[in-house]
């Protein structure tokens, strides 16, 4: 069974630009969550999608947005990039049912803002 | 105060030692408890997943949850150099969300 796939693996962007990251969940998983990981803050929850609907949102500014498609694939977008957005962005998928929230992570996309 | 507290380490042990990693939490609504292992420049890998209180064993790994004390542990028996990584505890609430709250991670080094 293929794992969670994130593309691209690495990105370098300039301040003020926008970026879109992609995540393909494990087959059959309907929930996709996004996290930001930095050395100072650790892993912080960005948002969660289930059946194309945002089910939960973390404490990040509106420059961070996401969406989920009918095939459960998800994208996240960051507009007007700031230097502080440099981080490892991780996507996790799970079956999404109340009885099973076992979440599996992808390898992440390392974003560097210069 | 953070919802989940975890000693950042680093923890350095000899090969073959028993390792104990711990997290404490403040939110009594947490029902699902996970341990992830993360190697440098990789995504977190799910090691153990438990629901509510009790013990769970998988090979050299044992996870313990004590909800009355709001305390979870991961024990690694016969530790190997390949266990050298950062170990993250994570928790989620029971109602309709997969939002995970993570500890800051404990860096473990097992030397030969």
């Amino acid at each position: 069974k293929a794992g969670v796939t994130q593309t691209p693996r690495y990105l370098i962007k300039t301040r003020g630009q926008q970026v879109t990251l992609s995540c393909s969940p494990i087959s059959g998983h309907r929930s996709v969550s996004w996290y930001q990981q930095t050395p100072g803050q650790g892993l912080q929850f960005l948002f969660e999608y289930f059946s194309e609907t945002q089910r939960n949102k973390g404490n990040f500014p509106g420059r961070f947005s996401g969406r989920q498609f009918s095939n459960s694939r998800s994208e996240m977008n960051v507009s007007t990039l700031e230097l502080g957005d440099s981080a490892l962005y991780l996507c996790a998928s799970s079956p999404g049912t109340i009885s099973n929230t076992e979440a599996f992570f992808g390898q992440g996309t390392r974003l560097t803002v210069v | 105060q953070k919802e989940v507290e975890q000693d950042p380490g680093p923890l350095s042990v000899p090969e073959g030692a028993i390792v104990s990693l711990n997290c404490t939490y403040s939110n009594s609504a947490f029902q699902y408890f996970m341990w992830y292992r993360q190697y440098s420049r990789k995504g977190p890998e799910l090691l153990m997943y438990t629901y509510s209180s009790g013990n769970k064993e998988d090979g050299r790994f044992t996870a313990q949850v004590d909800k009355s004390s709001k305390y979870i542990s991961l024990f690694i028996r016969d530790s190997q150099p390949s266990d050298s990584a950062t170990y993250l505890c994570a928790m989620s609430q029971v109602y309709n969300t997969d939002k995970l709250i993570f500890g800051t991670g404990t860096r473990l080094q097992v030397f030969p």
Side-chain angles (χ1 to χ4, degrees):
Chain A
K1 201 176 199 181
V4 178
T5 304
Q6 290 188 246
T7 56
R9 290 292 310 279
Y10 303 93
L11 265 179
I12 299 176
K13 289 287 188 178
T14 305
R15 260 186 313 176
Q17 286 186 312
Q18 75 164 14
V19 67
T20 299
L21 312 181
S22 180
C23 173
S24 293
I26 291 171
S27 177
H29 284 189
R30 297 169 65 191
S31 173
V32 173
S33 301
W34 289 88
Y35 294 81
Q36 181 195 65
Q37 187 175 31
T38 59
Q41 299 296 320
L43 268 149
Q44 292 186 286
F45 174 79
L46 278 157
F47 27 67
E48 174 197 359
Y49 287 88
F50 179 81
S51 292
E52 301 179 70
T53 301
Q54 188 178 85
R55 189 156 72 171
N56 215 332
K57 191 177 189 305
N59 297 323
F60 279 81
R63 300 186 295 108
F64 292 82
S65 63
R67 58 178 176 168
Q68 187 181 33
F69 302 96
S70 58
N71 61 358
S72 293
R73 191 177 69 84
S74 177
E75 288 181 348
M76 70 162 279
N77 184 276
V78 188
S79 62
T80 321
L81 283 165
E82 300 176 359
L83 295 179
D85 297 333
S86 295
L88 181 66
Y89 288 89
L90 292 158
C91 166
S93 78
S94 84
T97 61
I98 288 177
S99 60
N100 189 345
T101 61
E102 203 170 353
F104 296 88
F105 281 83
Q107 297 277 51
T109 294
R110 185 162 296 279
L111 172 65
T112 302
V113 182
V114 298
Chain B
Q1 187 186 1
K2 291 192 172 188
E3 276 189 284
V4 180
E5 299 279 358
Q6 185 175 8
D7 188 332
L11 184 60
S12 187
V13 301
E15 183 175 356
I18 296 174
V19 175
S20 172
L21 303 166
N22 311 295
C23 287
T24 58
Y25 62 95
S26 56
N27 188 345
S28 58
F30 289 138
Q31 295 283 353
Y32 297 95
F33 304 91
M34 287 139 272
W35 285 95
Y36 287 87
R37 176 175 63 194
Q38 187 173 25
Y39 292 112
S40 180
R41 310 189 77 79
K42 300 284 188 183
E45 170 194 9
L46 182 62
L47 278 178
M48 301 290 283
Y49 172 79
T50 54
Y51 170 65
S52 198
S53 285
N55 293 358
K56 185 174 183 179
E57 190 173 319
D58 184 0
R60 296 185 296 112
F61 299 91
T62 299
Q64 285 186 353
V65 175
D66 182 349
K67 289 191 68 185
S68 62
S69 301
K70 296 190 181 71
Y71 188 87
I72 71 169
S73 301
L74 177 71
F75 297 96
I76 307 174
R77 290 182 300 281
D78 187 25
S79 56
Q80 303 294 311
S82 58
D83 294 329
S84 298
T86 295
Y87 290 79
L88 300 143
C89 64
M91 309 175 187
S92 67
Q93 298 182 34
V94 68
Y95 49 89
N96 217 20
T97 176
D98 287 351
K99 175 182 177 180
L100 298 179
I101 305 299
F102 281 86
T104 50
T106 299
R107 193 154 58 91
L108 171 67
Q109 184 170 14
V110 182
F111 56 90

PDB file of all heavy atoms in Angstrom, chain B residues 40-68:
ATOM      1  N   SER B  40      16.223  12.348  10.974  1.00  0.00           N
ATOM      2  CA  SER B  40      16.586  13.662  10.463  1.00  0.00           C
ATOM      3  C   SER B  40      16.145  13.828   9.011  1.00  0.00           C
ATOM      4  O   SER B  40      16.351  12.933   8.184  1.00  0.00           O
ATOM      5  CB  SER B  40      18.113  13.831  10.568  1.00  0.00           C
ATOM      6  OG  SER B  40      18.499  15.083  10.092  1.00  0.00           O
ATOM      7  N   ARG B  41      15.485  14.943   8.722  1.00  0.00           N
ATOM      8  CA  ARG B  41      15.042  15.297   7.373  1.00  0.00           C
ATOM      9  C   ARG B  41      14.005  14.327   6.793  1.00  0.00           C
ATOM     10  O   ARG B  41      13.882  14.207   5.573  1.00  0.00           O
ATOM     11  CB  ARG B  41      16.234  15.443   6.432  1.00  0.00           C
ATOM     12  CG  ARG B  41      17.335  16.338   6.986  1.00  0.00           C
ATOM     13  CD  ARG B  41      18.388  16.642   5.947  1.00  0.00           C
ATOM     14  NE  ARG B  41      17.918  17.657   4.994  1.00  0.00           N
ATOM     15  CZ  ARG B  41      17.895  18.951   5.229  1.00  0.00           C
ATOM     16  NH1 ARG B  41      18.300  19.428   6.378  1.00  0.00           N
ATOM     17  NH2 ARG B  41      17.475  19.788   4.310  1.00  0.00           N
ATOM     18  N   LYS B  42      13.272  13.641   7.692  1.00  0.00           N
ATOM     19  CA  LYS B  42      12.213  12.737   7.246  1.00  0.00           C
ATOM     20  C   LYS B  42      10.913  13.126   7.928  1.00  0.00           C
ATOM     21  O   LYS B  42      10.903  13.870   8.907  1.00  0.00           O
ATOM     22  CB  LYS B  42      12.546  11.281   7.599  1.00  0.00           C
ATOM     23  CG  LYS B  42      13.826  10.758   6.980  1.00  0.00           C
ATOM     24  CD  LYS B  42      13.637  10.447   5.516  1.00  0.00           C
ATOM     25  CE  LYS B  42      14.855   9.733   4.960  1.00  0.00           C
ATOM     26  NZ  LYS B  42      14.711   9.483   3.507  1.00  0.00           N
ATOM     27  N   GLY B  43       9.785  12.592   7.432  1.00  0.00           N
ATOM     28  CA  GLY B  43       8.515  12.797   8.110  1.00  0.00           C
ATOM     29  C   GLY B  43       8.388  11.866   9.305  1.00  0.00           C
ATOM     30  O   GLY B  43       9.070  10.853   9.388  1.00  0.00           O
ATOM     31  N   PRO B  44       7.515  12.199  10.264  1.00  0.00           N
ATOM     32  CA  PRO B  44       7.292  11.325  11.426  1.00  0.00           C
ATOM     33  C   PRO B  44       6.690   9.983  10.996  1.00  0.00           C
ATOM     34  O   PRO B  44       5.830   9.939  10.122  1.00  0.00           O
ATOM     35  CB  PRO B  44       6.297  12.113  12.281  1.00  0.00           C
ATOM     36  CG  PRO B  44       6.410  13.526  11.818  1.00  0.00           C
ATOM     37  CD  PRO B  44       6.728  13.441  10.361  1.00  0.00           C
ATOM     38  N   GLU B  45       7.155   8.916  11.661  1.00  0.00           N
ATOM     39  CA  GLU B  45       6.692   7.556  11.367  1.00  0.00           C
ATOM     40  C   GLU B  45       5.909   7.061  12.589  1.00  0.00           C
ATOM     41  O   GLU B  45       6.423   7.101  13.719  1.00  0.00           O
ATOM     42  CB  GLU B  45       7.908   6.679  11.111  1.00  0.00           C
ATOM     43  CG  GLU B  45       7.653   5.198  11.033  1.00  0.00           C
ATOM     44  CD  GLU B  45       8.947   4.404  11.119  1.00  0.00           C
ATOM     45  OE1 GLU B  45      10.012   4.976  11.402  1.00  0.00           O
ATOM     46  OE2 GLU B  45       8.875   3.174  10.922  1.00  0.00           O
ATOM     47  N   LEU B  46       4.674   6.616  12.379  1.00  0.00           N
ATOM     48  CA  LEU B  46       3.857   6.147  13.489  1.00  0.00           C
ATOM     49  C   LEU B  46       4.427   4.848  14.067  1.00  0.00           C
ATOM     50  O   LEU B  46       4.595   3.859  13.365  1.00  0.00           O
ATOM     51  CB  LEU B  46       2.420   5.914  13.011  1.00  0.00           C
ATOM     52  CG  LEU B  46       1.418   5.458  14.064  1.00  0.00           C
ATOM     53  CD1 LEU B  46       1.252   6.504  15.157  1.00  0.00           C
ATOM     54  CD2 LEU B  46       0.067   5.155  13.422  1.00  0.00           C
ATOM     55  N   LEU B  47       4.707   4.885  15.383  1.00  0.00           N
ATOM     56  CA  LEU B  47       5.241   3.705  16.073  1.00  0.00           C
ATOM     57  C   LEU B  47       4.158   2.972  16.858  1.00  0.00           C
ATOM     58  O   LEU B  47       4.038   1.755  16.772  1.00  0.00           O
ATOM     59  CB  LEU B  47       6.333   4.131  17.069  1.00  0.00           C
ATOM     60  CG  LEU B  47       7.734   4.377  16.562  1.00  0.00           C
ATOM     61  CD1 LEU B  47       8.619   4.842  17.717  1.00  0.00           C
ATOM     62  CD2 LEU B  47       8.315   3.119  15.927  1.00  0.00           C
ATOM     63  N   MET B  48       3.431   3.730  17.665  1.00  0.00           N
ATOM     64  CA  MET B  48       2.438   3.125  18.549  1.00  0.00           C
ATOM     65  C   MET B  48       1.194   4.001  18.574  1.00  0.00           C
ATOM     66  O   MET B  48       1.291   5.235  18.534  1.00  0.00           O
ATOM     67  CB  MET B  48       2.977   2.997  19.978  1.00  0.00           C
ATOM     68  CG  MET B  48       4.239   2.158  20.114  1.00  0.00           C
ATOM     69  SD  MET B  48       3.936   0.400  19.840  1.00  0.00           S
ATOM     70  CE  MET B  48       3.196  -0.053  21.397  1.00  0.00           C
ATOM     71  N   TYR B  49       0.043   3.356  18.689  1.00  0.00           N
ATOM     72  CA  TYR B  49      -1.240   4.060  18.711  1.00  0.00           C
ATOM     73  C   TYR B  49      -2.107   3.386  19.757  1.00  0.00           C
ATOM     74  O   TYR B  49      -2.348   2.189  19.674  1.00  0.00           O
ATOM     75  CB  TYR B  49      -1.868   3.975  17.323  1.00  0.00           C
ATOM     76  CG  TYR B  49      -3.279   4.482  17.199  1.00  0.00           C
ATOM     77  CD1 TYR B  49      -3.523   5.845  17.114  1.00  0.00           C
ATOM     78  CD2 TYR B  49      -4.356   3.600  17.128  1.00  0.00           C
ATOM     79  CE1 TYR B  49      -4.810   6.323  16.970  1.00  0.00           C
ATOM     80  CE2 TYR B  49      -5.645   4.079  16.990  1.00  0.00           C
ATOM     81  CZ  TYR B  49      -5.872   5.435  16.901  1.00  0.00           C
ATOM     82  OH  TYR B  49      -7.151   5.913  16.758  1.00  0.00           O
ATOM     83  N   THR B  50      -2.529   4.128  20.758  1.00  0.00           N
ATOM     84  CA  THR B  50      -3.346   3.547  21.825  1.00  0.00           C
ATOM     85  C   THR B  50      -4.561   4.419  22.081  1.00  0.00           C
ATOM     86  O   THR B  50      -4.531   5.634  21.884  1.00  0.00           O
ATOM     87  CB  THR B  50      -2.551   3.398  23.137  1.00  0.00           C
ATOM     88  OG1 THR B  50      -1.982   4.674  23.473  1.00  0.00           O
ATOM     89  CG2 THR B  50      -1.438   2.391  23.004  1.00  0.00           C
ATOM     90  N   TYR B  51      -5.606   3.745  22.539  1.00  0.00           N
ATOM     91  CA  TYR B  51      -6.839   4.435  22.880  1.00  0.00           C
ATOM     92  C   TYR B  51      -7.068   4.294  24.374  1.00  0.00           C
ATOM     93  O   TYR B  51      -7.040   3.190  24.899  1.00  0.00           O
ATOM     94  CB  TYR B  51      -8.008   3.844  22.102  1.00  0.00           C
ATOM     95  CG  TYR B  51      -9.361   4.332  22.571  1.00  0.00           C
ATOM     96  CD1 TYR B  51      -9.711   5.671  22.438  1.00  0.00           C
ATOM     97  CD2 TYR B  51     -10.266   3.460  23.168  1.00  0.00           C
ATOM     98  CE1 TYR B  51     -10.939   6.127  22.875  1.00  0.00           C
ATOM     99  CE2 TYR B  51     -11.497   3.907  23.613  1.00  0.00           C
ATOM    100  CZ  TYR B  51     -11.834   5.244  23.460  1.00  0.00           C
ATOM    101  OH  TYR B  51     -13.040   5.701  23.894  1.00  0.00           O
ATOM    102  N   SER B  52      -7.219   5.406  25.066  1.00  0.00           N
ATOM    103  CA  SER B  52      -7.511   5.463  26.489  1.00  0.00           C
ATOM    104  C   SER B  52      -6.360   4.859  27.313  1.00  0.00           C
ATOM    105  O   SER B  52      -5.241   4.763  26.856  1.00  0.00           O
ATOM    106  CB  SER B  52      -8.837   4.762  26.776  1.00  0.00           C
ATOM    107  OG  SER B  52      -9.309   5.168  28.052  1.00  0.00           O
ATOM    108  N   SER B  53      -6.623   4.441  28.522  1.00  0.00           N
ATOM    109  CA  SER B  53      -5.566   3.980  29.419  1.00  0.00           C
ATOM    110  C   SER B  53      -5.179   2.531  29.143  1.00  0.00           C
ATOM    111  O   SER B  53      -5.924   1.776  28.538  1.00  0.00           O
ATOM    112  CB  SER B  53      -6.036   4.087  30.876  1.00  0.00           C
ATOM    113  OG  SER B  53      -6.032   5.417  31.310  1.00  0.00           O
ATOM    114  N   GLY B  54      -3.955   2.185  29.598  1.00  0.00           N
ATOM    115  CA  GLY B  54      -3.514   0.810  29.466  1.00  0.00           C
ATOM    116  C   GLY B  54      -2.156   0.709  28.806  1.00  0.00           C
ATOM    117  O   GLY B  54      -1.478   1.698  28.588  1.00  0.00           O
ATOM    118  N   ASN B  55      -1.762  -0.524  28.535  1.00  0.00           N
ATOM    119  CA  ASN B  55      -0.462  -0.820  27.919  1.00  0.00           C
ATOM    120  C   ASN B  55      -0.667  -1.436  26.552  1.00  0.00           C
ATOM    121  O   ASN B  55      -1.677  -2.090  26.288  1.00  0.00           O
ATOM    122  CB  ASN B  55       0.324  -1.826  28.779  1.00  0.00           C
ATOM    123  CG  ASN B  55       0.749  -1.249  30.106  1.00  0.00           C
ATOM    124  OD1 ASN B  55       0.493  -0.087  30.389  1.00  0.00           O
ATOM    125  ND2 ASN B  55       1.370  -2.075  30.916  1.00  0.00           N
ATOM    126  N   LYS B  56       0.306  -1.211  25.682  1.00  0.00           N
ATOM    127  CA  LYS B  56       0.319  -1.856  24.372  1.00  0.00           C
ATOM    128  C   LYS B  56       1.747  -2.189  24.022  1.00  0.00           C
ATOM    129  O   LYS B  56       2.629  -1.344  24.173  1.00  0.00           O
ATOM    130  CB  LYS B  56      -0.293  -0.937  23.316  1.00  0.00           C
ATOM    131  CG  LYS B  56      -0.430  -1.581  21.944  1.00  0.00           C
ATOM    132  CD  LYS B  56      -1.173  -0.658  21.007  1.00  0.00           C
ATOM    133  CE  LYS B  56      -1.384  -1.298  19.649  1.00  0.00           C
ATOM    134  NZ  LYS B  56      -2.142  -0.399  18.734  1.00  0.00           N
ATOM    135  N   GLU B  57       1.968  -3.418  23.565  1.00  0.00           N
ATOM    136  CA  GLU B  57       3.320  -3.862  23.254  1.00  0.00           C
ATOM    137  C   GLU B  57       3.427  -4.213  21.779  1.00  0.00           C
ATOM    138  O   GLU B  57       2.514  -4.816  21.197  1.00  0.00           O
ATOM    139  CB  GLU B  57       3.673  -5.088  24.114  1.00  0.00           C
ATOM    140  CG  GLU B  57       5.123  -5.498  24.047  1.00  0.00           C
ATOM    141  CD  GLU B  57       5.448  -6.608  25.039  1.00  0.00           C
ATOM    142  OE1 GLU B  57       4.965  -6.560  26.188  1.00  0.00           O
ATOM    143  OE2 GLU B  57       6.163  -7.549  24.642  1.00  0.00           O
ATOM    144  N   ASP B  58       4.561  -3.846  21.188  1.00  0.00           N
ATOM    145  CA  ASP B  58       4.820  -4.201  19.787  1.00  0.00           C
ATOM    146  C   ASP B  58       6.317  -4.401  19.644  1.00  0.00           C
ATOM    147  O   ASP B  58       7.076  -3.436  19.542  1.00  0.00           O
ATOM    148  CB  ASP B  58       4.335  -3.088  18.852  1.00  0.00           C
ATOM    149  CG  ASP B  58       4.482  -3.458  17.380  1.00  0.00           C
ATOM    150  OD1 ASP B  58       4.956  -4.581  17.083  1.00  0.00           O
ATOM    151  OD2 ASP B  58       4.144  -2.633  16.526  1.00  0.00           O
ATOM    152  N   GLY B  59       6.729  -5.667  19.680  1.00  0.00           N
ATOM    153  CA  GLY B  59       8.160  -5.969  19.576  1.00  0.00           C
ATOM    154  C   GLY B  59       8.927  -5.389  20.751  1.00  0.00           C
ATOM    155  O   GLY B  59       8.605  -5.661  21.907  1.00  0.00           O
ATOM    156  N   ARG B  60       9.913  -4.562  20.464  1.00  0.00           N
ATOM    157  CA  ARG B  60      10.736  -3.977  21.525  1.00  0.00           C
ATOM    158  C   ARG B  60      10.094  -2.740  22.147  1.00  0.00           C
ATOM    159  O   ARG B  60      10.641  -2.152  23.080  1.00  0.00           O
ATOM    160  CB  ARG B  60      12.105  -3.601  20.959  1.00  0.00           C
ATOM    161  CG  ARG B  60      12.929  -4.792  20.471  1.00  0.00           C
ATOM    162  CD  ARG B  60      14.331  -4.376  20.028  1.00  0.00           C
ATOM    163  NE  ARG B  60      14.317  -3.491  18.868  1.00  0.00           N
ATOM    164  CZ  ARG B  60      14.679  -2.210  18.900  1.00  0.00           C
ATOM    165  NH1 ARG B  60      15.066  -1.651  20.040  1.00  0.00           N
ATOM    166  NH2 ARG B  60      14.658  -1.484  17.798  1.00  0.00           N
ATOM    167  N   PHE B  61       8.953  -2.327  21.631  1.00  0.00           N
ATOM    168  CA  PHE B  61       8.304  -1.096  22.082  1.00  0.00           C
ATOM    169  C   PHE B  61       7.077  -1.397  22.935  1.00  0.00           C
ATOM    170  O   PHE B  61       6.275  -2.261  22.603  1.00  0.00           O
ATOM    171  CB  PHE B  61       7.889  -0.246  20.878  1.00  0.00           C
ATOM    172  CG  PHE B  61       9.031   0.186  20.012  1.00  0.00           C
ATOM    173  CD1 PHE B  61       9.439  -0.594  18.932  1.00  0.00           C
ATOM    174  CD2 PHE B  61       9.716   1.359  20.278  1.00  0.00           C
ATOM    175  CE1 PHE B  61      10.501  -0.196  18.132  1.00  0.00           C
ATOM    176  CE2 PHE B  61      10.779   1.763  19.485  1.00  0.00           C
ATOM    177  CZ  PHE B  61      11.176   0.975  18.404  1.00  0.00           C
ATOM    178  N   THR B  62       6.953  -0.643  24.040  1.00  0.00           N
ATOM    179  CA  THR B  62       5.765  -0.720  24.886  1.00  0.00           C
ATOM    180  C   THR B  62       5.284   0.694  25.166  1.00  0.00           C
ATOM    181  O   THR B  62       6.069   1.539  25.599  1.00  0.00           O
ATOM    182  CB  THR B  62       6.059  -1.425  26.227  1.00  0.00           C
ATOM    183  OG1 THR B  62       6.495  -2.760  25.968  1.00  0.00           O
ATOM    184  CG2 THR B  62       4.811  -1.458  27.101  1.00  0.00           C
ATOM    185  N   ALA B  63       4.001   0.922  24.917  1.00  0.00           N
ATOM    186  CA  ALA B  63       3.398   2.217  25.216  1.00  0.00           C
ATOM    187  C   ALA B  63       2.487   2.068  26.427  1.00  0.00           C
ATOM    188  O   ALA B  63       1.758   1.095  26.544  1.00  0.00           O
ATOM    189  CB  ALA B  63       2.611   2.730  24.019  1.00  0.00           C
ATOM    190  N   GLN B  64       2.567   3.037  27.324  1.00  0.00           N
ATOM    191  CA  GLN B  64       1.704   3.047  28.514  1.00  0.00           C
ATOM    192  C   GLN B  64       0.961   4.367  28.588  1.00  0.00           C
ATOM    193  O   GLN B  64       1.536   5.425  28.319  1.00  0.00           O
ATOM    194  CB  GLN B  64       2.550   2.888  29.796  1.00  0.00           C
ATOM    195  CG  GLN B  64       3.063   1.511  30.033  1.00  0.00           C
ATOM    196  CD  GLN B  64       3.771   1.381  31.383  1.00  0.00           C
ATOM    197  OE1 GLN B  64       3.982   2.362  32.088  1.00  0.00           O
ATOM    198  NE2 GLN B  64       4.146   0.156  31.743  1.00  0.00           N
ATOM    199  N   VAL B  65      -0.306   4.286  28.958  1.00  0.00           N
ATOM    200  CA  VAL B  65      -1.110   5.486  29.134  1.00  0.00           C
ATOM    201  C   VAL B  65      -1.741   5.437  30.523  1.00  0.00           C
ATOM    202  O   VAL B  65      -2.391   4.457  30.877  1.00  0.00           O
ATOM    203  CB  VAL B  65      -2.226   5.592  28.071  1.00  0.00           C
ATOM    204  CG1 VAL B  65      -3.129   6.784  28.360  1.00  0.00           C
ATOM    205  CG2 VAL B  65      -1.619   5.700  26.682  1.00  0.00           C
ATOM    206  N   ASP B  66      -1.545   6.488  31.286  1.00  0.00           N
ATOM    207  CA  ASP B  66      -2.175   6.622  32.603  1.00  0.00           C
ATOM    208  C   ASP B  66      -2.995   7.907  32.583  1.00  0.00           C
ATOM    209  O   ASP B  66      -2.472   8.997  32.831  1.00  0.00           O
ATOM    210  CB  ASP B  66      -1.104   6.668  33.698  1.00  0.00           C
ATOM    211  CG  ASP B  66      -1.706   6.763  35.094  1.00  0.00           C
ATOM    212  OD1 ASP B  66      -2.927   6.997  35.220  1.00  0.00           O
ATOM    213  OD2 ASP B  66      -0.967   6.607  36.072  1.00  0.00           O
ATOM    214  N   LYS B  67      -4.271   7.764  32.271  1.00  0.00           N
ATOM    215  CA  LYS B  67      -5.107   8.956  32.129  1.00  0.00           C
ATOM    216  C   LYS B  67      -5.346   9.646  33.468  1.00  0.00           C
ATOM    217  O   LYS B  67      -5.547  10.856  33.516  1.00  0.00           O
ATOM    218  CB  LYS B  67      -6.435   8.590  31.473  1.00  0.00           C
ATOM    219  CG  LYS B  67      -6.296   8.235  30.004  1.00  0.00           C
ATOM    220  CD  LYS B  67      -7.646   8.147  29.333  1.00  0.00           C
ATOM    221  CE  LYS B  67      -8.279   9.515  29.253  1.00  0.00           C
ATOM    222  NZ  LYS B  67      -9.666   9.446  28.712  1.00  0.00           N
ATOM    223  N   SER B  68      -5.334   8.894  34.561  1.00  0.00           N
ATOM    224  CA  SER B  68      -5.568   9.517  35.860  1.00  0.00           C
ATOM    225  C   SER B  68      -4.447  10.483  36.216  1.00  0.00           C
ATOM    226  O   SER B  68      -4.669  11.508  36.869  1.00  0.00           O
ATOM    227  CB  SER B  68      -5.712   8.446  36.947  1.00  0.00           C
ATOM    228  OG  SER B  68      -4.521   7.700  37.065  1.00  0.00           O
TER     229      SER B  68
END
